[in-house]
Amino acid sequence: MSSTEKVASAIVELEQARQPGAEKAAGKSVTRAVPKVSAWTRWRFGLWIPPLVTFVLLGIAWEYVAHSNPFVIPPLGNIAESIANDPSAYWNNLLVTLKEVAVGGGAAIVLGYLLAVLMCEFKILERALMPVVMVIMVTPVIAIAPALVVAFGFGMLPKYIVTIIVAIFPILINSLAGLRAVDPGTLDVLRVVDASRWEIFWRLRLPGSMPYFFAGLRIAIPFAIIGAAVAEFVAAGEAAGLGAMISIAASQANLEVTWAGISMFCVLGLLFVAVLTLLRRRVLWWDNHGRAPK
Amino acid sequence: MNAALTTAGAEVTARGVTKRFGVRGQPVTVLDDVDLRIAPGEFVSVIGPSGCGKSTLLRIIAGLLDADEGSVAINGETVPQAIRHKTMGLVPQTPALLPWRSVRDNVLLPTQVNTAANAGRNLLDVDELLTSFGLGNDLRKYPRQLSGGMQQRVAIARAFVFDPPVLLMDEPFSALDEITRDQQRLGLLDFWQSNRRSVMFITHSVPEAILLSDRVVLMAARPGRIAEVTEIDLPRPRDESVFLSPQFREYEIRIREGLRRVMKNVEH
C-alpha cells in the first residue's frame, strides 16, 4: 500500500467510525474507540503543507523584489488594492474574457470531437482535411489573429475564431487517437456478432476515447485562454476583456492594473482546470489516471 | 439448463482456404489449400509452430479476414450470414474487457448489439453463467479488480452468453501463468462438457490440446497447411485424471513427434 492509500484508508475508517448509524444499527450504545490517527494523517498535512510553503516563499521573494525595484513588479498589496478600488471594471473584463473562452473553447471542444469522429469513421475525410489542419496548426495563432480582426472587425467573432483555432487541435488530435486506440480484441468480439458501426462507436469507441479526450481538454482549455488573450491583445481597440485591459495598462506602465489582470487570468485558468478535474473524476472513474492497476 | 441445448452446435467447413499476404512486395502464402471440418458439438484444437497460419485460419472462419481462395460454410451458411445470425462467439488472446463495464455488463455486451439476431435464441442467464465460471461473487466488480485468470474467464463467458453454436478461441490462456492456465483449462473443460458447442481452439500447448479436444489438428508453416490430424479417443467427461492415463502419454508423444517433424522441415 502506498502512503497516500494508507492515508485514504485511514480516513475512510475514521469516517466509518464517526457514522452515527453504525452503532445504532448494530444495536449498541457503546462508544466505539476511534482509531488513533495522528493529526498529521488526519489533516493530510503532507498534501497541502509543501505547496503552501512554496507559495509563501514565492510571495516573500516577490515582495522583496517589488520593494527594492518598484518599476519591475508592484507589491502584492497594491495589486489587491487596485482590484478592490474598482471591482466592477475587473469583473466586467473578466466576464468578457470568460465568455470568449467559454464560447470559443466550447465550440472547439464540440467541433474538435465531431471532426475526430467523422475522420475516424470516414478515412477519406481524414485524408482530405488533415493536411489543412496541419497547415493551420503550424501557423502561429498570433500571426493569424491580426488578419482575422481585419476580416471580422473588433467584435466578439474574431475572438471566438482565434480561440477555436488554438483550442481545437488538441481536442481533434487526441480524440482521433482515442477513437482509434480501442482494444482490437474487443473490436473483433463485436465484429463477429455483426455489431453495426454505430453500435461499435457507441459501446466501444466513444467511452474508450474519453481518457484521450480529457487529456486533450487539459491542453485545450489553457490554449483557449491563450487564444482569447491573444485576440484581445490584437484587437485592443475594442478595449474589453482582460487581455485588452492588460495591453492598455502595460502601455501606460500601470503595473498594478497589468498584474491584477494577469492574476485574473490565473484565477480563470485555475477555475477551468478545477472544473475539468472534477468532471474527469465523474466521467473517468474507471480510468486509473495512468497509475498502476490495482 | 435446457437439456435439448446441451449438445447443440453447428458444422464448420473450410474448403481449400488459401491466403497470401504481401510482405515487401513478396507474396507469402500463409495458408495453402486448407481443409478443416468441425462437426456439430466437436472440440477441435489447432496446434502448430508460430507462422503456421492457425490464427489466420481462425480469423477467416470468424469473418475478420477474407480468404483469397476457398470457402467457409457454417451450417451451410456463408460467413457473413453466420455473422449476421450471431452464430459464432469469439474469445480473443487477451481478455479485451471494457474497463468501464462491470463483469456482468462486459459479459452482456454481445447480447446488446445486433439485437435483431437475439430473437428466438436462448440467451443464457448471466448471473448463472458467471456463477458456473466461479465468478458469482464478482458480478459487480470491474475488470481491473480481477486477476488475469478471472478476466479470461469473463471473456469466455462473454462468448458463451448468447449461446452461439460455434466458439472460436484464439489461444485464450496463452497470457496466463502455468498454474492459472491449468485451472482455466479444467474450468473450460467442465463448462464445455455440459454445454457442448462446436469449438475451434488454437493453442501452443500439446497437453492442453489433448485434454480438451476430440481432434487435434497439427499445422505446418511456410506455407501454412494441415500436417496431421489426431483423433483423441479419451472417454468423456474428462477431468484432470486424464493427465495420468497411458493413452494421454501416447497421444502426447505422437503429437510432439509430429510437431518436431513439422519444425524440422522449416529449418533448412
Side-chain angles (χ1 to χ4, degrees):
Chain A
M1 225 201 261
S2 77
S3 63
T4 46
E5 278 173 325
K6 264 184 213 156
V7 171
S9 68
I11 285 164
V12 169
E13 279 167 28
L14 204 67
E15 307 267 297
Q16 283 166 347
R18 280 207 200 115
Q19 290 281 318
E23 287 91 15
K24 275 190 199 137
K28 290 183 210 162
S29 59
V30 231
T31 43
R32 182 129 25 111
V34 173
K36 273 185 189 134
V37 180
S38 71
W40 180 267
T41 310
R42 189 162 165 183
W43 299 106
R44 295 198 259 189
F45 285 144
L47 284 182
W48 56 271
I49 292 276
L52 189 73
V53 168
T54 312
F55 277 118
V56 168
L57 288 177
L58 277 175
I60 292 169
W62 179 283
E63 286 301 296
Y64 175 77
V65 176
H67 284 285
S68 47
N69 306 285
F71 299 108
V72 177
I73 48 174
L76 294 172
N78 295 10
I79 299 174
E81 201 179 310
S82 168
I83 298 173
N85 282 343
D86 194 1
S88 68
Y90 286 99
W91 180 244
N92 291 336
N93 283 318
L94 180 71
L95 282 184
V96 169
T97 305
L98 181 71
K99 190 178 169 198
E100 288 162 9
V101 174
V103 174
I109 291 164
V110 173
L111 288 175
Y113 194 80
L114 275 179
L115 212 52
V117 170
L118 288 174
M119 283 187 181
C120 174
E121 295 295 325
F122 307 100
K123 194 106 186 133
I124 190 166
L125 270 182
E126 190 193 3
R127 295 291 312 153
L129 296 179
M130 224 19 148
V132 184
V133 168
M134 286 299 156
V135 167
I136 302 174
M137 191 163 66
V138 295
T139 312
V141 68
I142 190 99
I144 310 174
L148 289 174
V149 171
V150 171
F152 299 105
F154 288 96
M156 294 299 261
L157 190 60
K159 280 141 193 157
Y160 294 151
I161 295 175
V162 172
T163 310
I164 290 172
I165 287 178
V166 259
I168 198 170
F169 298 116
I171 299 285
L172 170 61
I173 306 286
N174 271 280
S175 304
L176 186 58
L179 289 163
R180 294 243 164 88
V182 294
D183 190 319
T186 323
L187 203 55
D188 288 347
V189 166
L190 286 174
R191 281 186 178 149
V192 168
V193 293
D194 203 27
S196 67
R197 260 169 127 172
W198 165 253
E199 285 166 334
I200 288 174
F201 170 73
W202 182 247
R203 309 247 180 220
L204 185 60
R205 292 193 194 276
L206 175 70
S209 69
M210 281 300 120
Y212 290 75
F213 172 70
F214 271 85
L217 275 183
R218 207 158 220 148
I219 307 170
I221 286 173
F223 272 28
I225 299 174
I226 294 175
V230 163
E232 288 171 358
F233 282 165
V234 171
E238 175 78 356
L242 293 174
M245 184 181 162
I246 290 171
S247 158
I248 293 164
S251 70
Q252 297 165 347
N254 188 340
L255 290 183
E256 281 78 16
V257 175
T258 306
W259 281 98
I262 293 171
S263 64
M264 295 270 152
F265 266 122
C266 276
V267 171
L268 194 65
L270 288 175
L271 201 79
F272 274 108
V273 170
V275 170
L276 177 64
T277 308
L278 288 176
L279 201 65
R280 190 188 194 284
R281 210 170 287 168
R282 277 203 77 88
V283 177
L284 286 181
W285 51 270
W286 51 268
D287 189 53
N288 49 20
H289 296 251
R291 271 188 259 120
K294 285 225 282 183
Chain B
M1 204 158 284
N2 195 332
L5 279 148
T6 49
T7 50
E11 182 182 42
V12 178
T13 330
R15 270 207 200 90
V17 171
T18 299
K19 179 77 186 171
R20 282 177 283 267
F21 286 128
V23 181
R24 271 175 263 117
Q26 293 284 90
V28 174
T29 307
V30 185
L31 288 174
D32 185 24
D33 196 21
V34 171
D35 291 318
L36 179 72
R37 180 181 172 273
I38 303 170
E42 189 185 21
F43 199 119
V44 174
S45 285
V46 180
I47 196 166
S50 324
C52 69
K54 50 194 190 303
S55 276
T56 308
L57 182 60
L58 180 133
R59 294 181 72 77
I60 288 172
I61 291 173
L64 298 167
L65 271 180
D66 287 326
D68 293 327
E69 285 160 40
S71 65
V72 177
I74 290 133
N75 257 6
E77 287 186 328
T78 64
V79 172
Q81 286 170 332
I83 285 177
R84 208 167 314 129
H85 298 142
K86 292 213 228 182
T87 311
M88 297 177 281
L90 178 75
V91 182
Q93 266 186 43
T94 57
L97 304 175
L98 301 176
W100 57 85
R101 281 179 170 239
S102 67
V103 164
R104 202 170 181 281
D105 290 343
N106 260 291
V107 172
L108 281 170
L109 181 67
T111 65
Q112 293 165 340
V113 297
N114 184 12
T115 46
N118 287 347
R121 74 193 300 146
N122 174 41
L123 297 180
L124 305 186
D125 182 275
V126 201
D127 299 355
E128 209 175 283
L129 176 67
L130 280 164
T131 306
S132 67
F133 273 81
L135 291 160
N137 294 324
D138 307 300
L139 299 170
R140 272 165 228 297
K141 285 192 180 153
Y142 285 85
R144 66 179 159 159
Q145 296 171 284
L146 305 182
S147 68
M150 290 160 100
Q151 290 185 16
Q152 197 53 269
R153 261 181 280 162
V154 176
I156 295 172
R158 178 180 58 189
F160 272 103
V161 73
F162 58 104
D163 198 34
V166 178
L167 286 142
L168 305 171
M169 308 194 188
D170 189 1
E171 297 187 49
F173 305 139
S174 62
L176 305 176
D177 64 80
E178 191 55 34
I179 295 170
T180 314
R181 210 182 297 174
D182 256 335
Q183 202 188 344
Q184 303 305 318
R185 285 166 185 161
L186 294 167
L188 174 63
L189 179 70
D190 243 24
F191 189 81
W192 179 80
Q193 285 177 154
S194 48
N195 299 269
R196 291 214 185 178
R197 302 288 177 274
S198 311
V199 177
M200 177 181 181
F201 187 91
I202 292 183
T203 178
H204 271 123
S205 159
V206 177
E208 182 171 286
I210 300 169
L211 170 73
L212 295 169
S213 312
D214 298 311
R215 255 183 324 143
V216 177
V217 173
L218 175 66
M219 288 185 72
R222 266 163 275 182
R225 63 199 183 277
I226 290 175
E228 292 175 22
V229 178
T230 311
E231 300 270 345
I232 307 294
D233 198 12
L234 293 167
R236 293 208 188 255
R238 298 174 192 163
D239 55 37
E240 55 209 305
S241 65
V242 165
F243 290 123
L244 303 171
S245 72
Q247 296 106 297
F248 184 91
R249 299 278 304 136
E250 275 168 38
Y251 284 129
E252 191 168 358
I253 291 164
R254 197 195 300 175
I255 295 169
R256 282 193 195 283
E257 271 172 1
L259 258 174
R260 210 167 307 134
R261 272 196 299 279
V262 160
M263 306 285 276
K264 205 175 277 171
N265 289 342
V266 173
E267 297 165 81
H268 302 287

